[in-house]
Amino acid sequence: MTIGIGLLGLGTVGSGVAAILASPQGRHPLVGDLVLERVAVRDLQRPRPLTLPPERLTTDPEAVIDDPKVDIVVEVMGGLEPARSLILRAIAAGKPVVTANKAVIARYGQEIAAAAASQGVYVLIEAAVGGGIPIIEPIKQSLGGNRIQRVSGIINGTTNYILSRMADEGAAYADVLADAQRLGYAEADPAADVQGGDAADKIAILAGLAYGGPVERAGIATEGIDRLEARDVAYAAQLGFVVKLLAVAERVQDDGPSGPPDGVALDVRVHPTLLPKHHPLAGVHGVNNAILVEGDPVGQVMFFGPGAGAGPTASAVVADILNIAGIRQVGGPQAGLDPLLAASSWRHCALVDGSLSRHRNYVRLSTRDEAGVIGRIGTCFGAAEVSIQSIVQLDAREGEAEIVVITHEVREDRFREALAAIEALEGVERVAACLRTL
Ligand code: NAP
Ligand code: HSE
């Protein structure tokens, strides 16, 4: 029995999916049952790496969904609209959906999941996070018996590629970003990558699955790498750290009396972070992603692999198609959806006020190079109960100095109070950079 696939989009990811379907030899036998029936694109004249019969291509995505030969709809066009409406249209037509669109799932995941549950169809999203890394199904299924403490990771391939090449080769930010776009890693608007929004979408999705309830996307504190200066990457290296764009979702209160009723309180954030060189995530370079899941009783589990690009992302999309195809081949779902594969939410996730969270910091201060400045800075930190791990002067010329401070773990509001006092000090020009440190 063949299964008709309708593809919405034939760009980087869509072309990768089409290439797998066109060469089933040596893959799981179910791949041979998948037939690419219709494909929606924006521009019929654009040259494509794979030749498809012209009658299969259309500029009308709704025609793909409505085609009776299409059994599974694969949305890889990106953007919020019309992608969201097309996913809902496919669900309303009773057709399962596979999507790589983290922007839509992070914002409209609840609406889509509710529609899918009421229609009894699956919406699978393995490709939405971590590119080729299996992480969605492991969190939903394989780690389901754990109480998850923290999910942290490098989950944007473009920024990790940029940071790796800046650190290794001293390459210029703009040149490396252009390479990432050419290689198909970046979003259509790369601001989503470099400003941290793409990673925030992904950590919202991971946290929602790991903690069992939707996470408010707009509440995630997000900082990208677009304002990161090469000198901070270099200073971090001198001090034994690697700078990575990290996404973190952490349980800060146990469920029960101290936490929100029937819920869990989470600290969810995205920011450039100094990782000690021996940290498991510090060795993740180039377009690779890695996600560290910490749970009770499993301990630490790390998932690693290529986080973007045509082949790896298509690998995840096809895995989802095969999951659905396998269920269709045995005649299901007749008795409702499998609650693990469909992903359900069972409690409320509340985001905590980030000013009360505790962490280490890296601060670079531009100062005058004169007696007493370091002492006054130390006094301000002490007055705010911010304990300093190290304070060094790293560059001094023509009466100016750069002072870098690494703090111990401190509360964010105390740290901000100290910075405000330091900025007003005689001899301190400005707080030039401020980064989280693990
Ligand atoms: P892309 O290269 O820009 O491809 C988008 C495709 O969708 C193109 O074929 C485009 O047609 C088509 N399209 C866009 N709007 C359309 C419309 N209104 N009607 C018909 N066709 C339309 O994007 P991509 O990199 O493959 O990414 C697709 C999705 O996968 C996004 O949600 C992205 O976030 C996600 N994703 C991407 C990666 C990656 O590494 N690239 C990894 C994971 C997830 P034309 O070709 O005619 O322009
Ligand atoms: N632009 C995304 C990234 C694609 O660089 O990680 C994979 O989701």
Side-chain angles (χ1 to χ4, degrees):
M1 183 173 68
T2 62
I3 294 174
I5 305 300
L7 207 50
L8 307 180
L10 192 60
T12 301
V13 181
S15 298
V17 172
I20 295 177
L21 301 193
S23 67
Q25 308 77 9
R27 309 188 199 278
H28 191 283
L30 264 179
V31 178
D33 294 340
L34 307 175
V35 179
L36 191 52
E37 293 287 358
R38 296 300 298 279
V39 181
V41 294
R42 238 177 336 213
D43 178 1
L44 290 174
Q45 309 310 321
R46 177 166 295 178
R48 310 276 167 191
L50 206 76
T51 321
L52 289 170
E55 67 279 7
R56 301 226 176 145
L57 285 177
T58 173
T59 54
D60 180 1
E62 294 185 354
V64 173
I65 294 169
D66 299 344
D67 189 324
K69 293 197 292 302
V70 167
D71 300 304
I72 301 175
V73 174
V74 178
E75 187 278 303
V76 283
M77 62 169 42
L80 295 181
E81 286 293 353
R84 167 188 158 273
S85 300
L86 292 167
I87 291 170
L88 291 171
R89 184 182 182 98
I91 294 168
K95 298 191 180 186
V97 176
V98 172
T99 178
N101 195 328
K102 54 271 169 144
V104 163
I105 297 301
R107 288 163 186 78
Y108 304 110
Q110 249 186 307
E111 178 189 24
I112 289 169
S118 80
Q119 282 295 321
V121 297
Y122 290 104
V123 174
L124 299 188
I125 59 166
E126 186 59 71
V129 184
I133 305 173
I135 180 64
I136 298 288
E137 294 310 322
I139 285 199
K140 271 159 52 177
Q141 306 192 43
S142 324
L143 294 169
N146 285 274
R147 193 175 293 119
I148 304 295
Q149 186 54 37
R150 187 185 299 114
V151 179
S152 56
I154 296 166
I155 50 177
N156 182 268
T158 301
T159 46
N160 204 46
Y161 176 78
I162 293 173
L163 289 175
S164 301
R165 287 199 48 200
M166 281 174 74
D168 298 348
E169 306 161 26
Y173 175 89
D175 295 345
V176 198
L177 173 57
D179 284 348
Q181 288 178 287
R182 190 177 42 75
L183 291 164
Y185 302 157
E187 294 302 301
D189 176 2
D193 297 295
V194 298
Q195 293 175 3
D198 177 77
D201 290 345
K202 291 168 176 169
I203 196 68
I205 294 171
L206 291 182
L209 296 172
Y211 295 102
V215 167
E216 190 204 345
R217 169 64 183 84
I220 298 177
T222 305
E223 191 187 325
I225 64 160
D226 49 331
R227 285 178 297 160
L228 185 66
E229 291 186 41
R231 65 172 55 207
D232 291 308
V233 177
Y235 286 163
Q238 283 183 46
L239 296 168
F241 294 94
V242 177
V243 181
K244 296 288 183 190
L245 184 68
L246 214 66
V248 182
E250 193 166 11
R251 177 197 291 258
V252 291
Q253 277 169 346
D254 276 336
D255 332 25
S258 57
D262 304 321
V264 60
L266 303 178
D267 184 13
V268 184
R269 54 190 198 271
V270 172
H271 45 70
T273 308
L274 271 71
L275 302 175
K277 280 187 177 147
H278 56 76
H279 189 279
L281 293 171
V284 176
H285 299 305
V287 73
N288 287 312
N289 283 189
I291 300 113
L292 185 63
V293 182
E294 295 165 64
D296 170 29
V298 73
Q300 293 191 331
V301 184
M302 191 155 116
F303 299 82
F304 169 86
T313 312
S315 156
V317 169
V318 174
D320 279 348
I321 298 174
L322 290 177
N323 253 323
I324 295 167
I327 291 166
R328 282 183 69 91
Q329 297 289 43
V330 294
Q334 295 118 340
L337 297 173
D338 169 348
L340 290 181
L341 191 58
S344 47
S345 45
W346 70 91
R347 66 177 164 188
H348 176 62
C349 291
L351 296 182
V352 294
D353 175 0
S355 69
L356 301 180
S357 66
R358 296 178 63 82
H359 43 83
R360 293 169 74 204
N361 304 279
Y362 160 104
V363 191
R364 174 163 58 87
L365 302 164
S366 295
T367 70
R368 288 207 301 271
D369 188 16
E370 62 187 28
V373 173
I374 287 187
R376 289 197 290 276
I377 291 168
T379 303
C380 284
F381 276 125
E385 294 176 46
V386 172
S387 171
I388 293 173
Q389 180 190 306
S390 72
I391 182 162
V392 281
Q393 184 166 311
L394 284 173
D395 195 13
R397 64 187 81 156
E398 292 162 15
E400 304 275 306
E402 296 241 89
I403 293 172
V404 170
V405 181
I406 306 275
T407 72
H408 283 297
E409 191 177 277
V410 294
R411 234 172 66 176
E412 175 71 7
D413 56 351
R414 299 256 161 77
F415 174 65
R416 293 283 153 196
E417 183 189 320
L419 283 191
I422 288 167
E423 221 159 11
L425 279 178
E426 169 73 23
V428 173
E429 309 294 340
R430 65 190 180 106
V431 176
C434 191
L435 299 165
R436 302 273 177 104
T437 304
L438 278 198

PDB file of all heavy atoms in Angstrom, residues 109-137:
ATOM      1  N   GLY A 109       1.359  26.011  19.336  1.00  0.00           N
ATOM      2  CA  GLY A 109       1.386  24.574  19.598  1.00  0.00           C
ATOM      3  C   GLY A 109       0.136  24.070  20.297  1.00  0.00           C
ATOM      4  O   GLY A 109      -0.393  22.999  19.972  1.00  0.00           O
ATOM      5  N   GLN A 110      -0.370  24.878  21.250  1.00  0.00           N
ATOM      6  CA  GLN A 110      -1.548  24.448  22.011  1.00  0.00           C
ATOM      7  C   GLN A 110      -2.778  24.360  21.109  1.00  0.00           C
ATOM      8  O   GLN A 110      -3.553  23.406  21.177  1.00  0.00           O
ATOM      9  CB  GLN A 110      -1.839  25.487  23.086  1.00  0.00           C
ATOM     10  CG  GLN A 110      -1.575  25.016  24.479  1.00  0.00           C
ATOM     11  CD  GLN A 110      -2.021  26.069  25.474  1.00  0.00           C
ATOM     12  OE1 GLN A 110      -1.632  27.237  25.386  1.00  0.00           O
ATOM     13  NE2 GLN A 110      -2.832  25.653  26.419  1.00  0.00           N
ATOM     14  N   GLU A 111      -2.958  25.406  20.290  1.00  0.00           N
ATOM     15  CA  GLU A 111      -4.105  25.438  19.371  1.00  0.00           C
ATOM     16  C   GLU A 111      -4.025  24.249  18.401  1.00  0.00           C
ATOM     17  O   GLU A 111      -5.021  23.551  18.156  1.00  0.00           O
ATOM     18  CB  GLU A 111      -4.053  26.758  18.579  1.00  0.00           C
ATOM     19  CG  GLU A 111      -5.153  26.921  17.548  1.00  0.00           C
ATOM     20  CD  GLU A 111      -4.923  28.142  16.628  1.00  0.00           C
ATOM     21  OE1 GLU A 111      -3.766  28.577  16.471  1.00  0.00           O
ATOM     22  OE2 GLU A 111      -5.921  28.613  16.066  1.00  0.00           O
ATOM     23  N   ILE A 112      -2.815  23.995  17.902  1.00  0.00           N
ATOM     24  CA  ILE A 112      -2.624  22.914  16.933  1.00  0.00           C
ATOM     25  C   ILE A 112      -2.836  21.553  17.603  1.00  0.00           C
ATOM     26  O   ILE A 112      -3.513  20.679  17.054  1.00  0.00           O
ATOM     27  CB  ILE A 112      -1.223  23.042  16.288  1.00  0.00           C
ATOM     28  CG1 ILE A 112      -1.221  24.258  15.348  1.00  0.00           C
ATOM     29  CG2 ILE A 112      -0.812  21.774  15.556  1.00  0.00           C
ATOM     30  CD1 ILE A 112       0.143  24.671  14.841  1.00  0.00           C
ATOM     31  N   ALA A 113      -2.295  21.402  18.823  1.00  0.00           N
ATOM     32  CA  ALA A 113      -2.454  20.117  19.529  1.00  0.00           C
ATOM     33  C   ALA A 113      -3.924  19.853  19.843  1.00  0.00           C
ATOM     34  O   ALA A 113      -4.405  18.713  19.734  1.00  0.00           O
ATOM     35  CB  ALA A 113      -1.628  20.118  20.810  1.00  0.00           C
ATOM     36  N   ALA A 114      -4.657  20.914  20.238  1.00  0.00           N
ATOM     37  CA  ALA A 114      -6.079  20.720  20.559  1.00  0.00           C
ATOM     38  C   ALA A 114      -6.853  20.312  19.308  1.00  0.00           C
ATOM     39  O   ALA A 114      -7.694  19.401  19.352  1.00  0.00           O
ATOM     40  CB  ALA A 114      -6.655  22.005  21.149  1.00  0.00           C
ATOM     41  N   ALA A 115      -6.561  20.974  18.178  1.00  0.00           N
ATOM     42  CA  ALA A 115      -7.255  20.628  16.932  1.00  0.00           C
ATOM     43  C   ALA A 115      -6.918  19.192  16.523  1.00  0.00           C
ATOM     44  O   ALA A 115      -7.795  18.426  16.110  1.00  0.00           O
ATOM     45  CB  ALA A 115      -6.840  21.609  15.826  1.00  0.00           C
ATOM     46  N   ALA A 116      -5.635  18.824  16.670  1.00  0.00           N
ATOM     47  CA  ALA A 116      -5.201  17.476  16.276  1.00  0.00           C
ATOM     48  C   ALA A 116      -5.867  16.418  17.157  1.00  0.00           C
ATOM     49  O   ALA A 116      -6.315  15.381  16.667  1.00  0.00           O
ATOM     50  CB  ALA A 116      -3.688  17.378  16.380  1.00  0.00           C
ATOM     51  N   ALA A 117      -5.974  16.709  18.467  1.00  0.00           N
ATOM     52  CA  ALA A 117      -6.597  15.741  19.378  1.00  0.00           C
ATOM     53  C   ALA A 117      -8.067  15.566  19.028  1.00  0.00           C
ATOM     54  O   ALA A 117      -8.589  14.443  19.019  1.00  0.00           O
ATOM     55  CB  ALA A 117      -6.441  16.208  20.819  1.00  0.00           C
ATOM     56  N   SER A 118      -8.743  16.680  18.702  1.00  0.00           N
ATOM     57  CA  SER A 118     -10.183  16.541  18.428  1.00  0.00           C
ATOM     58  C   SER A 118     -10.423  15.839  17.087  1.00  0.00           C
ATOM     59  O   SER A 118     -11.435  15.180  16.911  1.00  0.00           O
ATOM     60  CB  SER A 118     -10.902  17.882  18.514  1.00  0.00           C
ATOM     61  OG  SER A 118     -10.713  18.595  17.333  1.00  0.00           O
ATOM     62  N   GLN A 119      -9.477  15.930  16.172  1.00  0.00           N
ATOM     63  CA  GLN A 119      -9.624  15.226  14.887  1.00  0.00           C
ATOM     64  C   GLN A 119      -9.014  13.820  14.918  1.00  0.00           C
ATOM     65  O   GLN A 119      -9.168  13.058  13.967  1.00  0.00           O
ATOM     66  CB  GLN A 119      -8.934  16.020  13.775  1.00  0.00           C
ATOM     67  CG  GLN A 119      -9.722  17.207  13.270  1.00  0.00           C
ATOM     68  CD  GLN A 119     -11.022  16.792  12.592  1.00  0.00           C
ATOM     69  OE1 GLN A 119     -11.084  15.795  11.871  1.00  0.00           O
ATOM     70  NE2 GLN A 119     -12.080  17.535  12.850  1.00  0.00           N
ATOM     71  N   GLY A 120      -8.266  13.520  15.996  1.00  0.00           N
ATOM     72  CA  GLY A 120      -7.631  12.197  16.084  1.00  0.00           C
ATOM     73  C   GLY A 120      -6.518  12.013  15.062  1.00  0.00           C
ATOM     74  O   GLY A 120      -6.332  10.916  14.521  1.00  0.00           O
ATOM     75  N   VAL A 121      -5.745  13.101  14.812  1.00  0.00           N
ATOM     76  CA  VAL A 121      -4.596  12.958  13.900  1.00  0.00           C
ATOM     77  C   VAL A 121      -3.314  13.380  14.624  1.00  0.00           C
ATOM     78  O   VAL A 121      -3.347  14.177  15.561  1.00  0.00           O
ATOM     79  CB  VAL A 121      -4.749  13.802  12.603  1.00  0.00           C
ATOM     80  CG1 VAL A 121      -5.932  13.341  11.789  1.00  0.00           C
ATOM     81  CG2 VAL A 121      -4.809  15.288  12.894  1.00  0.00           C
ATOM     82  N   TYR A 122      -2.206  12.839  14.152  1.00  0.00           N
ATOM     83  CA  TYR A 122      -0.913  13.192  14.742  1.00  0.00           C
ATOM     84  C   TYR A 122      -0.331  14.428  14.078  1.00  0.00           C
ATOM     85  O   TYR A 122      -0.467  14.621  12.870  1.00  0.00           O
ATOM     86  CB  TYR A 122       0.084  12.039  14.546  1.00  0.00           C
ATOM     87  CG  TYR A 122      -0.234  10.830  15.385  1.00  0.00           C
ATOM     88  CD1 TYR A 122      -0.813   9.696  14.804  1.00  0.00           C
ATOM     89  CD2 TYR A 122       0.058  10.815  16.743  1.00  0.00           C
ATOM     90  CE1 TYR A 122      -1.097   8.577  15.567  1.00  0.00           C
ATOM     91  CE2 TYR A 122      -0.234   9.698  17.508  1.00  0.00           C
ATOM     92  CZ  TYR A 122      -0.812   8.587  16.927  1.00  0.00           C
ATOM     93  OH  TYR A 122      -1.102   7.496  17.687  1.00  0.00           O
ATOM     94  N   VAL A 123       0.348  15.259  14.906  1.00  0.00           N
ATOM     95  CA  VAL A 123       1.189  16.348  14.380  1.00  0.00           C
ATOM     96  C   VAL A 123       2.565  16.107  14.993  1.00  0.00           C
ATOM     97  O   VAL A 123       2.735  16.220  16.201  1.00  0.00           O
ATOM     98  CB  VAL A 123       0.653  17.732  14.781  1.00  0.00           C
ATOM     99  CG1 VAL A 123       1.621  18.828  14.345  1.00  0.00           C
ATOM    100  CG2 VAL A 123      -0.722  17.978  14.168  1.00  0.00           C
ATOM    101  N   LEU A 124       3.521  15.726  14.172  1.00  0.00           N
ATOM    102  CA  LEU A 124       4.846  15.381  14.706  1.00  0.00           C
ATOM    103  C   LEU A 124       5.880  16.435  14.318  1.00  0.00           C
ATOM    104  O   LEU A 124       5.825  17.003  13.218  1.00  0.00           O
ATOM    105  CB  LEU A 124       5.266  13.984  14.215  1.00  0.00           C
ATOM    106  CG  LEU A 124       4.333  12.836  14.642  1.00  0.00           C
ATOM    107  CD1 LEU A 124       4.942  11.481  14.265  1.00  0.00           C
ATOM    108  CD2 LEU A 124       4.029  12.851  16.137  1.00  0.00           C
ATOM    109  N   ILE A 125       6.839  16.691  15.233  1.00  0.00           N
ATOM    110  CA  ILE A 125       7.693  17.889  15.113  1.00  0.00           C
ATOM    111  C   ILE A 125       9.176  17.590  15.381  1.00  0.00           C
ATOM    112  O   ILE A 125       9.903  18.461  15.831  1.00  0.00           O
ATOM    113  CB  ILE A 125       7.195  18.982  16.091  1.00  0.00           C
ATOM    114  CG1 ILE A 125       7.227  18.484  17.544  1.00  0.00           C
ATOM    115  CG2 ILE A 125       5.771  19.433  15.745  1.00  0.00           C
ATOM    116  CD1 ILE A 125       7.086  19.606  18.574  1.00  0.00           C
ATOM    117  N   GLU A 126       9.614  16.357  15.105  1.00  0.00           N
ATOM    118  CA  GLU A 126      11.002  16.012  15.459  1.00  0.00           C
ATOM    119  C   GLU A 126      12.015  16.984  14.865  1.00  0.00           C
ATOM    120  O   GLU A 126      13.037  17.303  15.482  1.00  0.00           O
ATOM    121  CB  GLU A 126      11.316  14.577  15.004  1.00  0.00           C
ATOM    122  CG  GLU A 126      12.665  14.053  15.427  1.00  0.00           C
ATOM    123  CD  GLU A 126      12.854  14.058  16.956  1.00  0.00           C
ATOM    124  OE1 GLU A 126      12.220  13.259  17.634  1.00  0.00           O
ATOM    125  OE2 GLU A 126      13.651  14.897  17.449  1.00  0.00           O
ATOM    126  N   ALA A 127      11.754  17.473  13.639  1.00  0.00           N
ATOM    127  CA  ALA A 127      12.728  18.343  12.958  1.00  0.00           C
ATOM    128  C   ALA A 127      12.725  19.769  13.496  1.00  0.00           C
ATOM    129  O   ALA A 127      13.592  20.568  13.130  1.00  0.00           O
ATOM    130  CB  ALA A 127      12.443  18.367  11.463  1.00  0.00           C
ATOM    131  N   ALA A 128      11.766  20.088  14.360  1.00  0.00           N
ATOM    132  CA  ALA A 128      11.664  21.481  14.826  1.00  0.00           C
ATOM    133  C   ALA A 128      12.782  21.848  15.789  1.00  0.00           C
ATOM    134  O   ALA A 128      13.103  23.022  15.941  1.00  0.00           O
ATOM    135  CB  ALA A 128      10.300  21.715  15.478  1.00  0.00           C
ATOM    136  N   VAL A 129      13.375  20.880  16.451  1.00  0.00           N
ATOM    137  CA  VAL A 129      14.455  21.173  17.415  1.00  0.00           C
ATOM    138  C   VAL A 129      15.640  20.239  17.163  1.00  0.00           C
ATOM    139  O   VAL A 129      15.459  19.017  17.059  1.00  0.00           O
ATOM    140  CB  VAL A 129      13.987  20.979  18.878  1.00  0.00           C
ATOM    141  CG1 VAL A 129      15.098  21.376  19.847  1.00  0.00           C
ATOM    142  CG2 VAL A 129      12.722  21.780  19.168  1.00  0.00           C
ATOM    143  N   GLY A 130      16.827  20.830  17.056  1.00  0.00           N
ATOM    144  CA  GLY A 130      18.041  20.007  16.998  1.00  0.00           C
ATOM    145  C   GLY A 130      18.338  19.395  15.639  1.00  0.00           C
ATOM    146  O   GLY A 130      19.194  18.498  15.562  1.00  0.00           O
ATOM    147  N   GLY A 131      17.681  19.848  14.575  1.00  0.00           N
ATOM    148  CA  GLY A 131      17.963  19.324  13.230  1.00  0.00           C
ATOM    149  C   GLY A 131      17.882  17.806  13.190  1.00  0.00           C
ATOM    150  O   GLY A 131      16.826  17.223  13.423  1.00  0.00           O
ATOM    151  N   GLY A 132      19.009  17.142  12.949  1.00  0.00           N
ATOM    152  CA  GLY A 132      19.015  15.677  12.806  1.00  0.00           C
ATOM    153  C   GLY A 132      19.064  14.922  14.122  1.00  0.00           C
ATOM    154  O   GLY A 132      19.033  13.688  14.129  1.00  0.00           O
ATOM    155  N   ILE A 133      19.139  15.628  15.251  1.00  0.00           N
ATOM    156  CA  ILE A 133      19.241  14.935  16.546  1.00  0.00           C
ATOM    157  C   ILE A 133      17.862  14.459  16.986  1.00  0.00           C
ATOM    158  O   ILE A 133      16.935  15.263  17.059  1.00  0.00           O
ATOM    159  CB  ILE A 133      19.772  15.881  17.656  1.00  0.00           C
ATOM    160  CG1 ILE A 133      21.094  16.512  17.247  1.00  0.00           C
ATOM    161  CG2 ILE A 133      19.893  15.154  18.978  1.00  0.00           C
ATOM    162  CD1 ILE A 133      21.574  17.591  18.231  1.00  0.00           C
ATOM    163  N   PRO A 134      17.712  13.173  17.285  1.00  0.00           N
ATOM    164  CA  PRO A 134      16.436  12.747  17.873  1.00  0.00           C
ATOM    165  C   PRO A 134      16.353  13.280  19.303  1.00  0.00           C
ATOM    166  O   PRO A 134      17.139  12.873  20.158  1.00  0.00           O
ATOM    167  CB  PRO A 134      16.525  11.213  17.869  1.00  0.00           C
ATOM    168  CG  PRO A 134      17.738  10.883  17.059  1.00  0.00           C
ATOM    169  CD  PRO A 134      18.652  12.067  17.112  1.00  0.00           C
ATOM    170  N   ILE A 135      15.470  14.244  19.541  1.00  0.00           N
ATOM    171  CA  ILE A 135      15.339  14.817  20.886  1.00  0.00           C
ATOM    172  C   ILE A 135      13.880  14.945  21.298  1.00  0.00           C
ATOM    173  O   ILE A 135      13.543  14.752  22.460  1.00  0.00           O
ATOM    174  CB  ILE A 135      16.088  16.179  21.010  1.00  0.00           C
ATOM    175  CG1 ILE A 135      15.955  16.762  22.420  1.00  0.00           C
ATOM    176  CG2 ILE A 135      15.625  17.212  19.976  1.00  0.00           C
ATOM    177  CD1 ILE A 135      16.584  15.954  23.497  1.00  0.00           C
ATOM    178  N   ILE A 136      12.982  15.216  20.327  1.00  0.00           N
ATOM    179  CA  ILE A 136      11.564  15.383  20.672  1.00  0.00           C
ATOM    180  C   ILE A 136      10.988  14.040  21.149  1.00  0.00           C
ATOM    181  O   ILE A 136      10.394  13.969  22.250  1.00  0.00           O
ATOM    182  CB  ILE A 136      10.774  15.892  19.439  1.00  0.00           C
ATOM    183  CG1 ILE A 136      11.286  17.253  18.986  1.00  0.00           C
ATOM    184  CG2 ILE A 136       9.269  15.910  19.724  1.00  0.00           C
ATOM    185  CD1 ILE A 136      10.941  18.408  19.879  1.00  0.00           C
ATOM    186  N   GLU A 137      11.162  13.005  20.354  1.00  0.00           N
ATOM    187  CA  GLU A 137      10.585  11.705  20.752  1.00  0.00           C
ATOM    188  C   GLU A 137      11.264  11.150  22.006  1.00  0.00           C
ATOM    189  O   GLU A 137      10.570  10.651  22.896  1.00  0.00           O
ATOM    190  CB  GLU A 137      10.610  10.704  19.590  1.00  0.00           C
ATOM    191  CG  GLU A 137       9.690  11.096  18.419  1.00  0.00           C
ATOM    192  CD  GLU A 137       8.261  11.455  18.850  1.00  0.00           C
ATOM    193  OE1 GLU A 137       7.722  10.805  19.770  1.00  0.00           O
ATOM    194  OE2 GLU A 137       7.686  12.393  18.266  1.00  0.00           O
TER     195      GLU A 137
END
